[in-house]
Amino acid sequence: MDFRRVLPWSVAALFAPLYAAVSLTRHARLESSGFDLGIFEEAVRAYSRLEAPVVALKGAGFNLLGDHFSPVLAVLAPFYRLWPGAGTLLVAQALLVALSAVPVTAYAVRVRVLGPAGGAVAGVAYGLSAGLQSAVAFDFHEVAFAVPLAAAAVVALARERYGPAVAWALPLLLVKEDQALLVAAVGGYVWWRGRRRLGAATVLAAVAAGLLVTLVVIPGVNPGGEYTYAHMGEPGGGNPVVRLLFPEVKALTVLLLLAPTLLALRSPLVLLPGVLLAARFWVVNPAFWRTGQHYDAVLMPLLFTAGLHGAGLLRGARLRLRPGRGLPVAAGMLAVTVALTATGPVAGVLSGEAWRGDGRAAQVRRVLAVVPDGARVAAANHLAPQLTGRCTVSLFPYLTPPDGPGGAGGPGGWGRPVAEWVAVLDELDDFPVPEEEQRRFLAGLVDGGGYRRVAAGAGVVVYHWQRG
């Protein structure tokens, strides 16, 4: 048996169940949300029925392709058809993210200064990286498809296999429109390394696809006829250098990302994550400036591969590490990674903390069971993904009027409302509108709106609309 072939798959097999456990236990504890797990489940559920990805959580009749261009989600449709439910998406995400460890670990083993032992340690460090853990601990996102593709592409670049690198990068254009930037970066790197025609063609394909999707495809499907996120990258005036470097949280993000992979600075491959980070820091939304959620997931294979590539270059540096003597380098990567994630999601699974529950979740599900399958429900954000597998779910308080004329009796003078059922929490938060506004809306539903309380418990209340 070739140990070097088995090792990368062993690392992936180690982390796949850990990632799945992180996501599934979080969902079981009612910590998942309609934004975003519920949204993606409604889209995949529609694909599994051979329908357009209409997502009621985004609005009545809202086609998700009018928000982000992610047709790759259709790949999950056959699996969802067999195993319907949010858990299918969460397990698929875990498998995809774990799969990215195969090319990264395989490359680590090939780096001569590390050897098989150092490569194995580096692979474990990659699997434990904060960017991957935070991704699987925050619902489901289409970026899960980008992680293994980016990993395969950057490893091919590190091995100077430029044709395969481009082949792995191009499918990123079907993952999400912003991945065109990474494809262009891969093309630019290939061009810089001497494959001018291939690199230029890749850059042109990425630019053309990005413009087509953001200027034509998404606006053509979007109900407002626009690309909603276009304003986030507008110049806006001011000093562009200041915008990229400040506020200070951006520097902190760079330090946290580079801490386990400091040797990435020795590799030209660091230009790829540098391009993506610059784009994030240019965006006006502060959520993109910090670590956490799913925003760092694609950066992980890029940075770790660049770090491994930089470690390989140590043979020509003053350290002059001989083959197999670079284990301390890999151990350092692992030590820093563990220090950064010692209280992270995987640690919670391994310690048993993630498995502990107070029984409330089971009570909540019993309350929600009063809602029949196939019903139309307006649900609070953290209740929505508990219902999207069997109901058409909109986000409370977004109740929309029915098609065609209707009689009086519904909220706001509507007839039969689209959401016949309402499921809310006693303790409302400020999403998607301020708590005070939600309470006023809820009072209107009950006081003359035709809704009657039919079930309650564990901090959840369910209402049903009744004519007259």
Side-chain angles (χ1 to χ4, degrees):
M1 180 181 295
D2 188 345
F3 177 74
R4 296 191 178 201
R5 291 182 179 272
V6 173
L7 181 59
W9 290 97
S10 300
V11 173
L14 169 66
F15 284 103
L18 288 176
Y19 294 157
V22 167
S23 297
L24 293 173
T25 56
R26 182 175 178 273
H27 180 59
R29 297 193 305 267
L30 306 179
E31 294 176 9
S32 57
S33 56
F35 278 58
D36 296 313
L37 177 58
I39 288 173
F40 287 112
E41 183 177 8
E42 287 190 329
V44 173
R45 185 183 182 195
Y47 279 130
S48 72
R49 298 174 173 177
L50 302 180
E51 300 171 354
V54 173
V55 175
L57 278 166
K58 293 288 290 185
F62 190 97
N63 188 319
L64 195 60
L65 293 175
D67 188 46
H68 290 299
F69 185 73
S70 304
V72 71
L73 291 173
V75 171
L76 298 179
F79 305 100
Y80 189 89
R81 186 81 175 185
L82 292 172
W83 301 287
T88 296
L89 275 68
L90 298 175
V91 171
Q93 176 173 256
L95 294 174
L96 287 166
V97 174
L99 187 62
S100 71
V102 175
V104 174
T105 306
Y107 178 67
V109 171
R110 285 176 174 269
V111 176
R112 295 188 64 191
V113 299
L114 298 183
V121 172
V124 172
Y126 170 75
L128 289 174
S129 62
L132 299 187
Q133 289 200 46
S134 61
V136 297
F138 185 66
D139 289 2
F140 170 91
H141 293 87
E142 68 276 88
V143 74
F145 287 94
V147 179
L149 291 172
V154 71
V155 166
L157 290 179
R159 298 179 60 191
E160 300 183 359
R161 300 180 62 195
Y162 301 123
V166 171
W168 283 113
L170 287 175
L172 288 166
L173 298 173
L174 301 177
V175 174
K176 195 176 178 182
E177 67 278 1
D178 59 3
Q179 294 302 309
L181 184 60
L182 178 54
V183 178
V186 169
Y189 185 90
V190 170
W191 181 90
W192 178 57
R193 300 299 290 179
R195 295 289 300 275
R196 299 300 172 85
R197 289 186 178 180
L198 178 61
T202 305
V203 172
L204 289 174
V207 172
L211 292 176
L212 177 65
V213 166
T214 57
L215 298 180
V216 179
V217 177
I218 293 179
V221 181
N222 185 279
E226 62 179 353
Y227 177 49
T228 308
Y229 308 96
H231 70 282
M232 297 175 68
E234 293 176 352
N239 189 320
V241 176
V242 172
R243 176 169 174 173
L244 283 174
L245 300 181
F246 295 95
E248 293 77 4
V249 66
K250 297 178 181 179
L252 178 60
T253 294
V254 172
L255 289 175
L256 291 174
L257 290 173
L258 281 176
T261 59
L262 193 59
L263 288 174
L265 296 175
R266 286 190 52 83
S267 170
L269 290 170
V270 77
L271 294 172
L272 273 67
V275 168
L276 299 187
L277 272 176
R280 276 175 54 179
F281 292 165
W282 184 261
V283 168
V284 296
N285 186 346
F288 290 90
W289 305 343
R290 302 176 176 85
T291 57
Q293 298 186 16
H294 58 290
Y295 299 119
D296 298 332
V298 175
L299 294 175
M300 292 299 98
L302 304 181
L303 286 169
F304 270 83
T305 302
L308 295 168
H309 188 248
L313 297 177
L314 288 177
R315 292 188 65 199
R318 292 181 179 179
L319 294 177
R320 295 190 180 280
L321 291 180
R322 288 180 289 174
R325 298 297 180 87
L327 180 58
V329 174
M333 298 174 72
L334 179 59
V336 175
T337 299
V338 170
L340 291 174
T341 61
T343 58
V346 169
V349 168
L350 294 176
S351 67
E353 183 66 29
W355 306 92
R356 299 190 183 101
D358 58 4
R360 176 177 176 270
Q363 297 177 40
V364 169
R365 292 188 181 92
R366 283 195 291 270
V367 173
L368 294 179
V370 71
V371 180
D373 292 353
R376 296 170 294 185
V377 191
N381 189 36
H382 284 288
L383 296 179
Q386 307 298 324
L387 294 163
T388 45
R390 61 186 184 88
C391 300
T392 299
V393 184
S394 57
L395 185 64
F396 178 83
Y398 294 165
L399 300 177
T400 54
D403 295 330
W414 299 337
R416 184 179 179 84
V418 167
E420 303 171 9
W421 298 78
V422 172
V424 295
L425 297 167
D426 283 339
E427 297 182 4
L428 300 174
D429 56 26
D430 288 330
F431 183 84
V433 294
E435 176 184 347
E436 182 179 349
E437 183 177 339
Q438 293 187 56
R439 293 199 180 279
R440 285 199 303 268
F441 190 90
L442 184 60
L445 297 181
V446 178
D447 185 12
Y451 283 82
R452 299 291 180 267
R453 177 170 166 165
V454 294
V460 175
V461 183
V462 177
Y463 299 89
H464 184 218
W465 183 80
Q466 301 173 3
R467 184 182 294 275

